[in-house]
Amino acid sequence: MIHVENLVGGEFVELEENFDNISPLDFSVIAKIPRTRYVGDAVISAKKALPGWSGLSLLERCDWLDKIANALEANIDEVARLESLDTGKPLDVALNVDATRSVNNFRFFANFGRNLESQEFEMDDAINYVLRKPVGVVGLISPWNLPLYLLSWKIAPALLMGNTIIAKPSELTPLTAHFLGKVCTKLGLPDGVLNIVNGYGPEVGQAIVEHPEIRAISFTGGTETGKIVAATAAPMFKKLSLELGGKNASLILSDADLDITVPGVLRASFLNSGQICLCGSRILVHSSIYDDFISRYLEELKTFKIGPVISDDHRTKVLSYIQLAIEEGGEILAGGSCPDKLGAWIEPTVIAGLSHKSRTATEEIFGPVVTIHEFDSDEQAVEMANSTQYGLAGSVWSKSKGREIAEKIDSGMVWVNTWLHRDLRVPFGGVKDSGVGREGGLWSVGFFSEAVNICIMED
Ligand code: NDP
């Protein structure tokens, strides 16, 4: 049994009130989590640490990020083991996606910081330069689907730019954040630079967003929670980055190369049991290749291994959408029920025959469920792709028209003939109800700093 503790001011703190962390694999209790309601102590520690941390040079902070990356990498199997235990995902996914990308996040921002160019604007008689000051104490709130990967995506640039942190992992998946806290204290990261508080979102998450001395909130999670976060933070004029839900389309045009499209679209459908905000849960296929695509896709699906979904509650939600699909007239082509074993397992499910405007095809399910729709023209495909409230990501599969069609999709990111191919320098974020703001590379640097103009009159 693991006892998760809060990390506050460099100390691991136990609380009297704790709750169970349940494994989705078999519903056993794997950890006890402190139920935090108050973040004042963590904020005091973070404020105390701020002058020292922001007083280091950028290059010194880059060295810290490298130290953290190296220490995580030295423990990469343990990171993967904990992530797999907490989320139920297969160990190879936890290793190759979560753990590896968490290390990469720290290493990327270390190198990015070393190559960060100063910005200057010359006038005839004066010079302007841009000073990037830290925002101060920042609150970082992350979901359960890619726990350390998404939290480190925020922690690394926040540290780089000289901020001190109050981080909150999801109550469902606190283990790797706790491990990161242990790694950082062992390395001697100054006390109070990274504080980690655990508990229920509406309690401790809300307390972070409400705290007046936390000056920026970077939030990744559902659109409904994002609305609450925005409504709470906006009147305090906090900086706000919201990475929210999605209902992404995979567009398969008539000239798609099915040898790469079938495995690519399958991976986009079901990697991490469909619980990645970027997953392609709506598959739009040109009518000329519809039958061929479906038979190859269903054949390859038989060899695709997935883990359970995150919890029994989430399974109930996902199953309710499968039921809704049947009520809406959908035809279940594969899956549709739960394997007969303990844990939050659901078969990968493929549904055809629904209108692209049906609830099943427009609401975020966030599980191993996809809907397949047929189109006759590229214009129709674009109209279908853009017909939800969301605009996070998408992919286009075509030998000749990928770029042209990709530019017409109302989403923050579109891949052509690939999916989840990530360069950490590019902007990451959504349009419409998928979020506000961008993270990644310079966009993270911009979010986690205040750009101040200094104008010097020349002699
Ligand atoms: P939630 O919105 O339920 O939770 C996200 C985080 O917010 C959790 O840490 C949660 O804590 C916390 N939280 C809950 N209520 C509040 C509150 N009132 N104030 C502050 N924090 C709060 O999302 P899920 O964890 O269920 O994650 C799935 C969602 O995340 C999906 O919609 C998915 O699309 C989205 N997502 C978006 C990504 C993107 O980059 N755009 C990437 C990954 C996921 P707790 O878990 O303890 O309740």
Side-chain angles (χ1 to χ4, degrees), residues 256-263 266 289-302:
D257 175 352
L258 290 190
D259 288 343
I260 60 160
T261 302
V262 171
L266 195 58
I289 52 168
Y290 186 79
D291 291 339
D292 193 16
F293 173 81
I294 289 193
S295 71
R296 290 177 65 171
Y297 178 85
L298 293 178
E299 191 54 36
E300 255 186 66
L301 174 60
K302 290 179 189 155

Side-chain angles (χ1 to χ4, degrees), residues 88 198 235 361:
N198 292 277

Side-chain angles (χ1 to χ4, degrees), residues 46 137-138 140 154-155 158-159 163-167 192-196:
V137 179
V138 297
L140 312 180
K154 301 178 188 302
I155 290 177
L159 290 180
N163 305 280
T164 55
I165 292 171
I166 315 292
V193 169
L194 173 63
N195 303 275
I196 303 174

